[in-house]
Amino acid sequence: MNFSSDNVSPICPEILAAIAEASDPALPYGADAASQQLDQAFSDLFGKEVAVVPVATGTAANLVGLSALVSPFGGVACHHQAHINRTESTGVAFYGNGAKLLTMDGPSAKLLPETLDAFLTRENTHGMHSVDPECVAITQATEFGTIYDVDEVQAIGKVAKAHGMKFFMDGARFANAIAALGCHPADITWKAGLDVLSFGATKNGAMAVDAIILFDPSLRARVEKARKRGGHLFSKHRYLAAQLLAYVKDDLWLRNARHANQAASALCQSLETLGARAAFAPQGNELFVHMDDDLADRLRKAGLVFRPWPAVGPDAFRFVSGWNSPIEAIRALPETL
């Protein structure tokens, strides 16, 4: 069982079928029928008019999306463990034409509203001599697998609004967060003041597509220009659109995420039975545990693939479940080792 990443999971059947069905000739660059349906499909999902800009990678969704919210001389306030800071190279500066990440700490990779408020107050006092924050960015779920609840997201949105800043969410695992919270997608997005969401699909059953969701549709032209300039405009755009339409149809995105979350919870129970200790209570599909080398070796010999995670601790490891993880086999682990 490979728990190194949810990116190891295959394409789920519904999305694979949608790709095959999109193989007929169609107009390029988003002029096809499937692409024309995206705005309405996601407007229905979020309960608000939105504009949807598909890209093939989560990196592009984050960086192109953020570029619409920050100027070349502005800053993006985020947690120092945020994916855009730890795992996107210098992409924010590249796509933002010089925009800088302004990082801070917080428990379990989360920003605290009071810490953010103090940080923004302090950073907004240096005028022309420094980088002024223009945007707040959070990762949902976080890099440590923790999830901002509705109140936490809305509190951060209020702080951002009070400081006149834009609000961005890296939602590579947004589906897992919604599945865990059981809330409406609107509750932690536009109702919390969110301007742009990077809506992940690749990790949750798609082949290669994530969507930039613009809660202010007037941003579309700017984002589409940035997408083209960055080399992320697909000519056969329909293959991205077909995946996204299949993903949100009949709540496939939530069903996949619920399964992945349940698999992570089952894995946590099995590993704790074997002597591991969870670093954080499992909420989504990422699990971080402390365990000794002997148990790690036994798991590897049994065929499990996972990764050490020094950011959590010297004896910490990360396991990530997927939409297709075998829950019954996971539950049986203590009996098979």
Side-chain angles (χ1 to χ4, degrees), residues 102-268:
L102 305 171
T103 64
M104 69 199 80
D105 204 358
S108 63
K110 287 183 179 180
L111 292 183
L112 294 177
E114 57 270 25
T115 303
L116 176 64
D117 185 51
F119 179 87
L120 296 178
T121 299
R122 183 174 66 250
E123 292 295 317
N124 266 320
T125 59
H126 306 299
M128 73 179 78
H129 302 289
S130 65
V131 177
D132 292 333
E134 296 178 351
C135 179
V136 173
I138 62 173
T139 311
Q140 177 77 316
T142 75
E143 290 301 283
F144 287 171
T146 54
I147 291 173
Y148 291 92
D149 64 28
V150 174
D151 290 342
E152 288 172 325
V153 178
Q154 293 188 352
I156 290 171
K158 288 179 181 177
V159 172
K161 183 176 181 180
H163 288 269
M165 297 177 62
K166 300 295 186 180
F167 190 13
F168 174 86
M169 180 183 288
D170 172 356
R173 295 185 176 94
F174 182 78
N176 303 95
I178 293 294
L181 294 172
C183 67
H184 192 280
D187 294 335
I188 58 169
T189 56
W190 63 269
K191 286 187 177 180
L194 200 71
D195 294 288
V196 175
L197 167 68
S198 169
F199 182 91
T202 302
K203 296 180 186 296
N204 195 35
M207 183 184 76
V209 65
D210 284 34
I212 304 169
I213 309 298
L214 307 173
F215 296 102
D216 176 1
S218 71
L219 293 172
R220 182 199 292 277
R222 179 172 177 176
V223 171
E224 288 183 341
K225 289 280 190 181
R227 179 181 61 173
K228 175 64 177 179
R229 179 175 179 263
H232 284 284
L233 174 61
F234 267 48
S235 57
K236 296 182 180 180
H237 200 277
R238 64 190 182 277
Y239 291 110
L240 301 184
Q243 291 181 69
L244 289 172
L245 291 174
Y247 187 54
V248 299
K249 183 180 179 181
D250 299 327
D251 285 339
L252 175 64
W253 67 294
L254 282 178
R255 285 188 277 118
N256 282 359
R258 289 189 188 109
H259 180 97
N261 290 2
Q262 290 166 7
S265 180
L267 182 60
C268 183

Side-chain angles (χ1 to χ4, degrees), residues 267-305:
L267 182 60
C268 183
Q269 293 177 21
S270 290
L271 293 179
E272 288 185 331
T273 299
L274 292 165
R277 176 174 56 87
F280 312 99
Q283 293 181 278
N285 68 319
E286 291 181 281
L287 174 64
F288 296 83
V289 301
H290 298 283
M291 60 185 177
D292 58 33
D293 290 339
D294 178 64
L295 177 55
D297 288 341
R298 288 167 60 200
L299 292 170
R300 291 190 182 101
K301 289 177 181 176
L304 273 69
V305 182

